Amino acid sequence: EYSPDGKYIYFNSNRSGTWDIWRIPSTGGGPNDVKAERITSDEWEDWFPHFSPDGKRMIMLSFPPGTSGHNGKMPGMAIRLYKKNGKHEILTEFFGGQGTMNVNSWSPDGRQFAFVVYEPR
């Protein structure tokens, strides 16, 4: 996902050993991705970063610690809010997985966002 100002591309990667959110300048990461910057670095496995329309907030889908992929539907999933000070806030925990929030789903005014909760069978 591009940052709202177009300066960065945000993505998830396990290059650090766990799934985290990273960013590179929109002009490229440079040789060997030297310009890549790790944004999240805690026990959660983070995927699908999405910015609010005003660019002040970013939400992400976080899998429980140790989850190796993203295709399962499981308890303990979280939607987390990333703040510019580097802090993360859990907005909700639920049963979910792949397909919960793959695309940006903020409302145009940035007051709400949509995501999918699965019903366990």
Side-chain angles (χ1 to χ4, degrees):
E1 172 138 341
Y2 277 93
S3 59
D5 62 9
K7 292 181 180 180
Y8 293 96
I9 299 171
Y10 285 74
F11 60 97
N12 58 293
S13 172
N14 66 351
R15 64 182 69 197
S16 61
T18 59
W19 289 101
D20 290 302
I21 304 301
W22 290 73
R23 75 179 187 178
I24 58 171
S26 57
T27 55
N32 299 317
D33 274 350
V34 68
K35 296 179 183 177
E37 180 182 359
R38 189 175 176 188
I39 302 300
T40 62
S41 61
D42 55 22
E43 70 276 4
W44 290 93
E45 308 289 344
D46 298 322
W47 289 74
F48 308 119
H50 301 299
F51 284 94
S52 60
D54 64 8
K56 294 180 180 178
R57 294 164 291 152
M58 181 181 76
I59 54 173
M60 65 190 117
L61 179 64
S62 296
F63 284 76
T67 304
S68 60
H70 70 285
N71 291 319
K73 293 177 179 63
M74 61 190 74
M77 297 293 300
I79 301 254
R80 298 195 306 153
L81 176 68
Y82 173 81
K83 300 177 182 179
K84 289 194 175 193
N85 63 6
K87 303 274 184 187
H88 304 96
E89 175 185 342
I90 295 175
L91 299 179
T92 186
E93 290 189 48
F94 57 96
F95 190 94
Q98 172 66 9
T100 294
M101 190 179 69
N102 292 16
V103 298
N104 197 332
S105 52
W106 283 92
S107 63
D109 65 6
R111 296 179 67 194
Q112 301 177 74
F113 58 87
F115 62 96
V116 175
V117 173
Y118 295 95
E119 293 289 329
R121 292 180 187 220

